[in-house]
Amino acid sequence: MRGVESLRSLGLLLAQHPREFSARVAGYADLGLQRLFGDPPTYETVRWQSALGDAEVHLGGVAEILDEPALKETEESTRRLLADIRHEDTFVPHWAADSVLARCCYLACRLIEPEVVVETGVAYGASSAFILRALEVNGRGTLHSVDLPPLRRDYQRYWGIAVPEDLRDRWNLYRGTSADVLPQILEKTRTVDLFVHDSLHTRRNMRREFDTIWPFLRRGGVLLADDVERNRAFGELRQKGPALWRVVEDRETAPLQGRAAPVVFGVAVK
Ligand SMILES: C[S@@+](CC[C@H](N)C(=O)[O-])C[C@H]1O[C@@H](n2cnc3c(N)ncnc32)[C@H](O)[C@@H]1O
């Protein structure tokens, strides 16, 4: 059923958004090639607790932030929302950011108090909700999110559904590929304090996003990237000489949805 639905959605996309259609097909091809011929890296990894120690040294105290009621409320409301829509015909259910990366997004925003946050990959908007809640607590900052909307006929019902109405003032959601939209955002903002990659996890796409963002990321700015174990792009970022580069590998204890899952994501500080 889902295959038929995807084919129908692809047909509609071809008719209404031909550029998105070709990007989607190219993305599938890239993913397929990576699965067949990719040469996944073996990174030295650290546990979440150890990464928190690094964050403390480079960015400041973390314990109080992780205890903030706003973080707990966001976790609870996101968990409730994802449970409520679980039985509906939505996007790929495991697409929402895992609970550890979501906390890390909140933590990074509270630590560096960014003016400009850019993220790629929205779907339900779980990571967007954590970022926007932290910006609200900070009382400043804007989130620019880029997403090629998921291939569902009724995607608009679920697109960014995790972001509450009262947090949307600080949110600019752009439709399109990161290849097309990131340069347009950077032309306006000229600088980025925090970047979060959670779109298409192919080497080509991740490398392009990192290469595009890095010159605009301010010194001390933070780059977070989900699922970095899938290809070598995050390892290649070391050639740019980040002040801190870590791959976090752990297991969730309090998942936002379903069962606790393994977690791998990258953290770099410029
Ligand atoms: C893993 S989901 C994002 C999950 C989100 N961060 C959250 O926490 O709920 C990946 C999203 O990236 C989108 N996407 C795929 N290719 C893309 C591209 N080239 N540029 C931008 N978004 C893309 C997918 O359609 C999907 O909506």
Side-chain angles (χ1 to χ4, degrees), residues 6-69:
S6 289
L7 277 178
R8 198 186 328 217
S9 303
L10 261 178
L12 271 178
L13 195 63
L14 174 60
Q16 293 169 353
H17 301 277
R19 199 173 165 81
E20 283 186 19
F21 172 84
S22 52
R24 185 62 76 179
V25 172
Y28 285 151
D30 216 9
L31 270 176
L33 287 173
Q34 180 166 288
R35 251 174 229 147
L36 283 174
F37 305 110
D39 181 18
T42 319
Y43 293 135
E44 197 177 305
T45 61
V46 297
R47 305 291 296 264
W48 173 231
Q49 276 307 321
S50 159
L52 287 177
D54 287 328
E56 188 107 20
V57 171
H58 283 261
L59 303 169
V62 299
E64 282 171 19
I65 296 176
L66 292 176
D67 222 20
E68 287 179 352

Side-chain angles (χ1 to χ4, degrees), residues 184-251:
Q184 296 166 24
I185 295 173
L186 295 171
E187 205 169 300
K188 276 189 243 161
T189 65
R190 305 309 303 167
T191 181
V192 175
D193 302 295
L194 171 65
F195 175 68
V196 182
H197 157 86
D198 193 14
S199 61
L200 182 68
H201 305 308
T202 62
R203 184 179 183 184
R204 188 199 312 265
N205 188 56
M206 291 173 79
R207 237 162 88 166
R208 182 173 44 218
E209 289 189 11
F210 299 160
D211 285 347
T212 305
I213 285 291
W214 196 258
F216 293 86
L217 193 66
R218 71 156 165 87
R219 197 153 293 285
V222 176
L223 180 152
L224 302 176
D226 202 10
D227 295 327
V228 294
E229 79 287 9
R230 299 201 188 170
N231 62 66
R232 295 177 179 269
F234 190 68
E236 287 156 358
L237 185 68
R238 289 178 113 159
Q239 291 158 12
K240 300 184 192 297
L244 175 79
W245 183 97
R246 293 281 184 274
V247 175
V248 177
E249 182 171 21
D250 216 318
R251 205 177 170 81

Side-chain angles (χ1 to χ4, degrees), residues 24 95-97 121-127 147-150 176-178 198-200:
R24 185 62 76 179
W95 258 3
V122 175
Y124 304 111
S127 50
D147 196 60
L148 192 59
T177 63
S178 56
D198 193 14
S199 61
L200 182 68

Side-chain angles (χ1 to χ4, degrees), residues 118-175:
V118 177
E119 76 165 341
T120 61
V122 175
Y124 304 111
S127 50
S128 318
F130 281 75
I131 292 167
L132 287 163
R133 193 64 205 270
L135 297 186
E136 188 209 32
V137 176
N138 291 344
R140 57 190 274 208
T142 303
L143 170 62
H144 303 268
S145 303
V146 185
D147 196 60
L148 192 59
L151 263 189
R152 308 294 297 162
R153 204 165 27 164
D154 53 353
Y155 74 89
Q156 255 150 339
R157 249 183 90 197
Y158 298 100
W159 201 31
I161 192 173
V163 178
E165 272 314 312
D166 63 336
L167 294 182
R168 291 182 179 225
D169 285 0
R170 297 181 183 279
W171 196 28
N172 293 324
L173 174 58
Y174 303 80
R175 175 181 180 142

